[in-house]
Amino acid sequence: WTEGTQADADRSLAELAALAETAGSQVLEAVSQRRDKPDAATYVGSGKANEIRDIVAATGADTVICDGELTPGQLNQLEKILKVKVVDRTALILDIFAQHASSREGKAQVELAQMQYMLPRLRGWGESLSRQAGGRVAGGGGIGTRGPGETKIETDRRRIRARVSKLRKEIAGMATARATQRSSRDRNATPSVAIAGYTNAGKSSLLNALTGAGVLVEDALFATLDPTVRRAESPDGREYTLTDTVGFVRHLPHQLVDAFRSTLEEVAAADLLLHVVDGSDPDPLGQIDAVRVVLGEIDAAAVPEVIVVNKVDAMTEDDILTLRRALPGAVWVSARTGTGIEALRELIATRLPHPDVDVEVLVP
Ligand code: GDP
């Protein structure tokens, strides 16, 4: 279920399938449905739920993934009807981030996001169960809210809370270290350029094209989780740092935006932002909007931005003409073929801050 048109829903569902494959699943069947709003009890409505149950039985699927965030009650109710594991978009994205996190900071950030996702669901589990029982079975209210079940949930909740606050402290410590590194870079007056953009837009490829560094490039969503900082040189011989950041995606779970705040601060602190867009995507402008929402949330909206439309090699003349009108100030490149990379280098040089050259050194 999405708020937009059928085309938006199809695109979102196709992206969900790509995400599921990135997570290592094999997608057997996609089902969609038009509704005014999600069904309060089962998200898809009971008729559709029965239809999905038949598909599950026919295909032998072991998991159903819903495009959207399910309430704890909806998740429970769906699992009861479908008899297989039900996962929502948020849990799927968190899972992919967990699989790909490699640095200590990245791992801590993802775990924190997962804990935050789990916490209300633990509580919700007991409550929704009792509420549903109360609504549907006379006299069933209250089951699961008292007694030994509650104690178990309480213990789990306390354990998770303790872990959450430990992770928060660890991440804060790492953020301080990162800020120190950053400020030493500032003192050395090395300008910094951050690469941000929708997932799979070609950020790693562009980083490689600009620096010649061998960064992992994967045709999978979220190949990039931990920021990579590289040194680059502009055509006029000035050095700058180039940072590749996490991939952005529609409906990036807010738990993740929070958890990745310190990583994303690299973007907020940059002198220049290269906002990479996949020109061959069916909806490049939608990608730009989704990225800008997150940039706003991390206070990076004020960083000077250059829109870099990538993958021009995969675009038709018509697509280029249409997009050119919507994005008059953009730079057009292909990280793959090298088209436009030199022009981008030159543009970066003109946009880098010019530090004072006459520094007086006072020797006592
Ligand atoms: P990231 O997730 O934004 O870092 O994207 P990557 O750099 O990992 O690239 C994602 C996919 O797009 C990979 O399969 C790349 O080979 C492909 N790609 C990157 N740049 C280009 C380009 O200029 N043209 C084409 N056709 N594909 C590209």
Side-chain angles (χ1 to χ4, degrees):
W1 183 84
T2 35
E3 238 163 70
T5 60
Q6 182 64 44
D8 292 335
D10 291 346
R11 205 172 292 132
S12 188
L13 211 57
E15 187 177 85
L16 188 76
L19 285 168
E21 275 164 9
T22 296
S25 302
Q26 188 193 349
V27 179
L28 300 174
E29 183 109 16
V31 187
S32 70
Q33 164 167 15
R34 305 251 349 121
R35 295 185 64 93
D36 290 338
K37 59 182 171 64
D39 181 70
T42 60
Y43 191 73
V44 291
S46 59
K48 199 70 180 184
N50 287 333
E51 190 189 309
I52 298 171
R53 185 194 53 209
D54 295 343
I55 294 172
V56 165
T59 57
D62 57 15
T63 309
V64 171
I65 306 174
C66 279
D67 194 16
E69 191 165 316
L70 299 177
T71 65
Q74 287 166 335
L75 201 132
N76 250 305
Q77 195 65 16
L78 269 179
E79 285 197 335
K80 247 192 246 162
I81 298 171
L82 303 177
K83 308 266 190 290
V84 288
K85 191 168 145 199
V86 176
V87 173
D88 65 9
R89 187 183 184 102
T90 305
L92 175 64
I93 293 177
L94 288 172
D95 191 68
I96 296 170
F97 270 83
Q99 278 179 27
H100 285 76
S102 59
S103 71
R104 202 164 74 87
E105 185 173 12
K107 283 188 179 135
Q109 286 168 329
V110 176
E111 192 187 342
L112 175 62
Q114 284 180 314
M115 295 275 161
Q116 282 167 332
Y117 175 80
M118 251 163 71
L119 203 52
R121 278 162 185 77
L122 279 181
R123 180 179 59 220
W125 193 79
E127 283 173 6
S128 67
L129 199 70
S130 66
R131 229 184 279 127
Q132 278 151 14
R136 300 195 183 268
V137 186
I143 295 172
T145 56
R146 286 178 294 268
E150 163 96 339
T151 314
K152 166 96 175 71
I153 290 168
E154 273 303 322
T155 324
D156 287 351
R157 229 187 285 172
R158 213 174 10 254
R159 246 205 328 263
I160 291 180
R161 285 222 181 87
R163 184 81 189 130
V164 162
S165 74
K166 186 161 178 281
L167 284 168
R168 278 225 172 89
K169 267 187 217 126
E170 274 179 35
I171 292 169
M174 291 184 269
T176 311
R178 188 186 283 284
T180 311
Q181 282 171 11
R182 205 160 48 223
S183 80
S184 94
R185 286 205 297 265
D186 285 352
R187 258 198 312 283
N188 298 333
T190 311
S192 60
V193 177
I195 303 180
Y198 207 75
T199 189
N200 237 33
K203 296 179 294 298
S204 309
S205 307
L206 190 68
L207 182 74
N208 286 346
L210 287 169
T211 63
V215 181
L216 170 80
V217 176
E218 263 181 44
D219 193 9
L221 299 165
F222 299 107
T224 313
L225 273 158
D226 301 307
T228 319
V229 184
R230 288 274 138 73
R231 281 189 180 275
E233 203 180 80
S234 65
D236 58 1
R238 290 166 61 210
E239 269 208 343
Y240 57 94
T241 61
L242 202 57
T243 308
D244 181 11
T245 57
V246 297
F248 293 72
V249 64
R250 280 181 196 84
H251 315 296
L252 190 69
H254 56 88
Q255 296 93 339
L256 268 179
V257 177
D258 277 348
F260 275 85
R261 202 166 283 278
S262 67
T263 310
L264 294 169
E265 271 166 14
E266 292 280 341
V267 181
D271 295 304
L272 183 66
L273 177 66
L274 302 183
H275 182 161
V276 188
V277 186
D278 177 354
S280 69
D281 185 84
D283 184 23
L285 298 176
Q287 292 195 346
I288 293 180
D289 288 343
V291 171
R292 284 200 175 135
V293 167
V294 181
L295 290 175
E297 281 181 42
I298 55 163
D299 302 321
V303 180
E305 178 194 73
V306 174
I307 296 272
V308 180
V309 180
N310 187 32
K311 308 197 190 180
V312 281
D313 60 290
M315 293 176 76
T316 64
E317 285 299 322
D318 275 358
D319 288 347
I320 295 180
L321 277 175
T322 317
L323 201 56
R324 232 179 239 290
R325 251 172 259 135
L327 302 169
V331 188
W332 300 73
V333 305
S334 165
R336 179 167 290 177
T337 65
T339 308
I341 296 296
E342 214 35 57
L344 176 60
R345 275 217 181 109
E346 272 155 30
L347 182 86
I348 293 171
T350 66
R351 298 287 297 270
L352 290 179
H354 279 269
D356 294 332
V357 210
D358 297 321
V359 181
E360 268 187 56
V361 183
L362 298 175
V363 184

